[in-house]
Amino acid sequence: MRTDKATEEIAQVFHALSDVTRLRLLERLQTGEQCVCDLTDAFQTGQSRLSFHLKVLKEAGLVNDRRDGRWMYYSVNPKVLEDLQEYIAERKQVMRRGAVASKCC
């Protein structure tokens, strides 16, 4: 059984993944680290809008960032994706075992 903190962290990851733009950002970052200026060009959107989505991904732990001069560079955090994969595998395992629902009345 997961701790409350671990469950909250997974919920934050699912929240971050619940937006199409953020999913597209993750897909784009799978090819490697990218500068925010390149992401802004690729998504043809304002930097403030993109920064909001990157902030949500960063807070969920899905992306790492680093500053180089005046630019920020972003990359996927594989550890959080592995944790998410493990969480889903655990849920699937419980379903395969045919967890018995408790009787209510």
Side-chain angles (χ1 to χ4, degrees):
M1 189 87 174
R2 290 184 173 271
T3 65
D4 287 344
K5 184 176 190 278
T7 301
E8 288 175 19
E9 289 170 354
I10 289 293
Q12 189 174 15
V13 169
F14 277 115
H15 167 73
L17 295 173
S18 69
D19 181 88
V20 172
T21 300
R22 293 192 286 266
L23 287 173
R24 288 181 56 223
L25 278 166
L26 278 177
E27 290 169 2
R28 175 92 183 187
L29 292 172
Q30 283 181 320
T31 61
E33 182 181 71
Q34 296 199 21
C35 177
V36 71
C37 62
D38 294 330
L39 293 170
T40 302
D41 289 345
F43 284 81
Q44 298 178 355
T45 187
Q47 188 171 345
S48 63
R49 181 175 179 267
L50 201 58
S51 291
F52 166 77
H53 289 296
L54 288 165
K55 178 182 172 215
V56 172
L57 291 169
K58 183 180 172 197
E59 288 175 350
L62 287 161
V63 298
N64 299 314
D65 66 347
R66 72 172 181 87
R67 181 174 292 282
D68 186 6
R70 61 181 263 208
W71 297 108
M72 291 297 291
Y73 289 82
Y74 292 89
S75 60
V76 172
N77 179 358
K79 172 69 173 111
V80 173
L81 292 178
E82 290 166 9
D83 292 346
L84 182 60
Q85 186 176 14
E86 181 180 309
Y87 175 82
I88 292 169
E90 289 170 1
R91 302 292 65 78
K92 288 170 73 174
Q93 187 177 43
V94 169
M95 289 174 61
R96 279 190 204 113
R97 286 193 309 241
V100 179
S102 63
K103 294 193 179 192
C104 152
C105 300

